[in-house]
Amino acid sequence: MKRNALFLCCAVIMTVSGPAVAQSIKVGRLDAAKAFAPGIDIPGALESEAWQGTSADRAARLLREMPTDQTHPIVRDMLRRVVLSGLVPPTGADDAFERRRIMAAQTLATPDEYARFAARNPAARDPALRVDAYIARGDLSAACDISDAIQQGRGDTYWVRLRAACHEMRDETARADLARDILRDRGEETTLVVPDPQEGFWVEVMALDAAALDDMMTVLAGDPEPAGPPEAIDPVSENGEDTIIEESLVDRLLVDPGLPVASESLAPDPMIDQMPLFIDIAPEPEPTFDLAAAMEDTTDQGTARLFVLGREGSAAAVAEFVARATETGLDSSRVLSRIPAVLDPEDMASVNLPLFARHAVVTRDIVLMQALYGATDDQSTQERLALASDAMGGGFYGRALGEGLETALTEDASGAVDDVLMALALGSNLTDSVETLLNTTKRSGQTDMNWVAIDHAVDRRARAESLLRFSTMIAARQADDPWTLYRTIQGLRAVGFPETAGQLAAYEFLRGL
């Protein structure tokens, strides 16, 4: 059964035959080496010059205005590529840009990724930035440990406010009151807002590396319940009468090894002459957890057992594990990527096809998408999967729009405008009849200043800036606004991101599954 996995300058000396030729040699100064903001290895990392064409002030502002709603996986991927890639900073970049980039990395990187990012970016090890990272995770204790060691700038408002919170946490009331009095005298805010700590089962699931996560789940799941003894069945003959079962040769030999073979039927079979006598000593298959029981058990142990069952190939266990994670606000594809599962496409299709299809888009797995297509008989679902596959594989460029899409637009079917505009943005041919129909659709907001700025960024080939601007527009898009999809997909292609354009279209084609 087919399965799919849910991994210096060189001097060159040239010689010529014949007499030496006099040359005019100009000696000049070398350009200063360009600054570089190191990043980490991520899928789709940008080229080092991606900030070219964008001013430092504009870049810092766009990072500051980065969308806070990052639940759309394609939006999150675009932001990660800008922030975590190693890039030459914009011309004139200063501490403000660097600080904004590091703060964005704290939001977008996993703990392991941020540790690697900070190791390559000395500014990320700045005490105040480290404190900001701990505060964002609700870890006031770790922030206070850094504050205790601060000497230079200790009287700055930032550190005084933090010390007030630290003293209060430690029940040092008099010291906390003194710090607040200092802040009041300066006319500064006295309260430090610290979110609830990020801790618990799902924090560990997303933070641990693969080996540590596997160990954690195995230990937490515990041992499977031992199977009960098999039911005793009275030997019954075909006609319903009791029958006597002869003692096996093995049992008889155990009693009397010298017992002769009395029956031809008990004579050694030459075909198994080389087999060991006690073939029943081979280990039995490792027992597994009961899926139904794990589905009903909402404790951490039950969830860990779902992880183990998913690791063993249960699509239903994987889907339930992901469902529990998304209830806490986690992105389904990020959780799916944590389970080392090899699943049967038919099981995936029968259990939760939309979940696995969207994961295939996020991970750009066209093979999985095609396998899911073959695993379902539902025509409307197959049409959606085919559209998504075409979007990821460049199948729209230079092609006719397709009878299905044009018919749906003519019949004013739900989502038809979105589908047609995405296909056109990916390069399908525009017919007169489709143009006439689209002229009647709502196009509010398509001439605002955001789109003017985007057009100019695309014209300048400002690739990092374009990704930030497009991510903001998609994150804020209303469900009844197909034109934002059209302009974003078209713009991504124009600025040199055709794969991202197709991925975004594919994800949106799967809506309603």
Side-chain angles (χ1 to χ4, degrees), residues 333-358:
S333 281
R334 292 179 64 203
V335 179
L336 264 174
S337 298
R338 304 256 62 202
I339 307 177
V342 179
L343 306 177
D344 175 17
E346 292 186 1
D347 290 343
M348 289 188 273
S350 64
V351 168
N352 192 332
L353 187 145
L355 169 68
F356 296 108
R358 292 190 179 97

Side-chain angles (χ1 to χ4, degrees), residues 366 369 385-397 399 426 502 506 509:
I366 296 180
M369 185 73 72
L385 295 175
L387 288 171
S389 295
D390 280 347
M392 289 196 293
F396 284 97
Y397 186 76
R399 271 179 30 185
L426 290 172
F509 275 134

Side-chain angles (χ1 to χ4, degrees), residues 52 237 350 430:
Q52 187 172 350
S237 64
S350 64
L430 175 65

Side-chain angles (χ1 to χ4, degrees), residues 365-386:
D365 192 343
I366 296 180
V367 174
L368 175 56
M369 185 73 72
Q370 293 170 340
L372 291 172
Y373 179 95
T376 180
D377 295 327
D378 184 78
Q379 184 176 354
S380 62
T381 299
Q382 287 182 331
E383 289 173 355
R384 292 284 113 192
L385 295 175

Side-chain angles (χ1 to χ4, degrees), residues 77-134:
D77 179 67
M78 288 193 285
L79 295 173
R80 281 171 52 85
R81 293 167 71 183
V82 173
V83 172
L84 301 180
S85 296
L87 305 177
V88 175
T91 303
D94 55 10
D95 291 344
F97 168 80
E98 191 169 37
R99 184 179 182 85
R100 284 295 170 188
R101 177 175 180 252
I102 292 170
M103 292 172 68
Q106 292 171 352
T107 301
L108 293 163
T110 66
D112 175 65
E113 288 175 333
Y114 187 74
R116 288 186 281 124
F117 180 88
R120 299 177 183 181
N121 290 271
R125 300 193 288 276
D126 176 81
L129 287 173
R130 291 167 58 205
V131 165
D132 288 343
Y134 284 125

Side-chain angles (χ1 to χ4, degrees), residues 117-283:
F117 180 88
R120 299 177 183 181
N121 290 271
R125 300 193 288 276
D126 176 81
L129 287 173
R130 291 167 58 205
V131 165
D132 288 343
Y134 284 125
I135 294 296
R137 297 201 293 267
D139 192 350
L140 180 59
S141 178
C144 292
D145 290 341
I146 296 175
S147 173
D148 293 342
I150 290 296
Q151 297 299 324
Q152 186 175 359
R154 187 173 178 82
D156 293 348
T157 296
Y158 179 91
W159 296 110
V160 175
R161 184 182 297 114
L162 176 58
R163 282 203 302 279
C166 295
H167 291 317
E168 184 173 10
M169 178 187 71
R170 297 164 178 164
D171 294 327
E172 298 168 348
T173 306
R175 291 184 176 184
D177 289 343
L178 177 59
R180 292 194 185 96
D181 287 343
I182 294 174
L183 292 170
R184 291 190 188 96
D185 290 343
R186 297 177 180 177
E188 299 285 355
E189 175 61 48
T190 62
T191 303
L192 177 66
V193 178
V194 181
D196 293 333
Q198 297 179 7
E199 57 187 7
F201 178 86
W202 291 111
V203 172
E204 292 189 71
V205 167
M206 302 308 295
L208 294 175
D209 61 38
L213 176 61
D214 195 77
D215 290 343
M216 167 190 155
M217 291 299 186
T218 300
V219 171
L220 185 56
D223 297 324
E225 297 294 332
E231 295 182 11
I233 302 176
D234 292 333
V236 178
S237 64
E238 291 184 5
N239 59 9
E241 298 177 358
D242 291 346
T243 183
I244 298 174
I245 298 180
E246 279 197 34
E247 205 174 8
S248 72
L249 174 61
V250 173
D251 292 336
R252 293 167 67 194
L253 286 174
L254 287 174
V255 176
D256 185 359
L259 187 71
V261 177
S263 169
E264 185 176 353
S265 64
L266 297 179
D269 186 337
M271 297 297 293
I272 60 172
D273 198 34
Q274 302 302 316
M275 294 179 64
L277 180 62
F278 297 103
I279 57 175
D280 60 337
I281 65 172

Side-chain angles (χ1 to χ4, degrees), residues 255-332:
V255 176
D256 185 359
L259 187 71
V261 177
S263 169
E264 185 176 353
S265 64
L266 297 179
D269 186 337
M271 297 297 293
I272 60 172
D273 198 34
Q274 302 302 316
M275 294 179 64
L277 180 62
F278 297 103
I279 57 175
D280 60 337
I281 65 172
E284 296 182 358
E286 192 71 23
T288 189
F289 298 107
D290 179 72
L291 175 61
M295 298 276 276
E296 294 178 0
D297 184 356
T298 58
T299 67
D300 288 349
Q301 184 180 60
T303 306
R305 290 183 173 185
L306 289 173
F307 180 95
V308 173
L309 286 165
R311 188 178 62 195
E312 295 172 354
S314 170
V318 170
E320 176 62 20
F321 182 89
V322 172
R324 295 183 186 184
T326 54
E327 289 176 358
T328 69
L330 290 172
D331 173 65
S332 60

